[in-house]
Amino acid sequence: MVTLRDQRDRIESAKADLASRTSSATSMDRMVTVTMNAQNSVVGLKFNTTKYRSMPPEQLARTLLDVLETARLQMANTAVEVFGPLMDQRDDLRAAMTGGTEVDKAFSALWKEAPSDVFGRGRD
């Protein structure tokens, strides 16, 4: 069973891992590259050509929106990759938080017999 401390440490490690990552996407015409961080903030915007100077504004806007969305989706996939392994432990964590572990079941009779001031628990 995963303990709460182990789970917290794994979550903190995953958060640090994700925070250190970025995702980059380049438009289909290779004109622009966008880089985003884990908070979906744009941390880089690079025009690889000067094609944008002669583009109609609507086309430039559509190209930028498309590449931003691609970078955002890539970062979302990265988040799933980083946090996905932790999801397998949800049931163990939920049981530990709600007192539903095998250890809790084994001691349940003892808890019921304990005076109300012992361990903050009392008779049910």
Side-chain angles (χ1 to χ4, degrees):
M1 182 182 84
V2 176
T3 67
L4 289 176
R5 180 173 291 141
D6 291 340
Q7 186 70 357
R8 184 197 66 216
D9 292 347
R10 289 179 181 145
I11 289 169
E12 290 303 316
S13 177
K15 284 171 47 179
D17 181 14
L18 186 62
S20 71
R21 295 190 188 205
T22 60
S23 70
S24 294
T26 301
S27 60
M28 303 234 345
D29 61 3
R30 318 267 308 136
M31 179 190 69
V32 63
T33 300
V34 171
T35 302
M36 296 184 107
N37 66 14
Q39 291 77 36
N40 283 330
S41 296
V42 176
V43 295
L45 181 65
K46 180 180 178 189
F47 287 94
N48 303 311
T49 70
T50 57
K51 181 179 177 182
Y52 65 92
R53 293 181 182 166
S54 60
M55 290 176 84
E58 298 82 20
Q59 184 182 1
L60 177 58
R62 175 54 40 210
T63 299
L64 287 171
L65 289 173
D66 288 346
V67 76
L68 284 164
E69 180 64 7
T70 300
R72 187 191 67 76
L73 288 172
Q74 286 177 359
M75 184 50 70
N77 288 335
T78 299
V80 169
E81 172 190 317
V82 170
F83 281 97
L86 298 174
M87 303 314 322
D88 293 338
Q89 297 152 3
R90 282 183 299 190
D91 292 334
D92 286 344
L93 181 60
R94 185 178 296 114
M97 292 175 72
T98 60
T101 66
E102 292 301 316
V103 172
D104 288 313
K105 290 175 187 169
F107 283 97
S108 74
L110 220 98
W111 293 127
K112 288 178 183 174
E113 297 299 321
S116 61
D117 62 338
V118 175
F119 304 115
R121 295 183 181 203
R123 300 176 199 272
D124 291 340

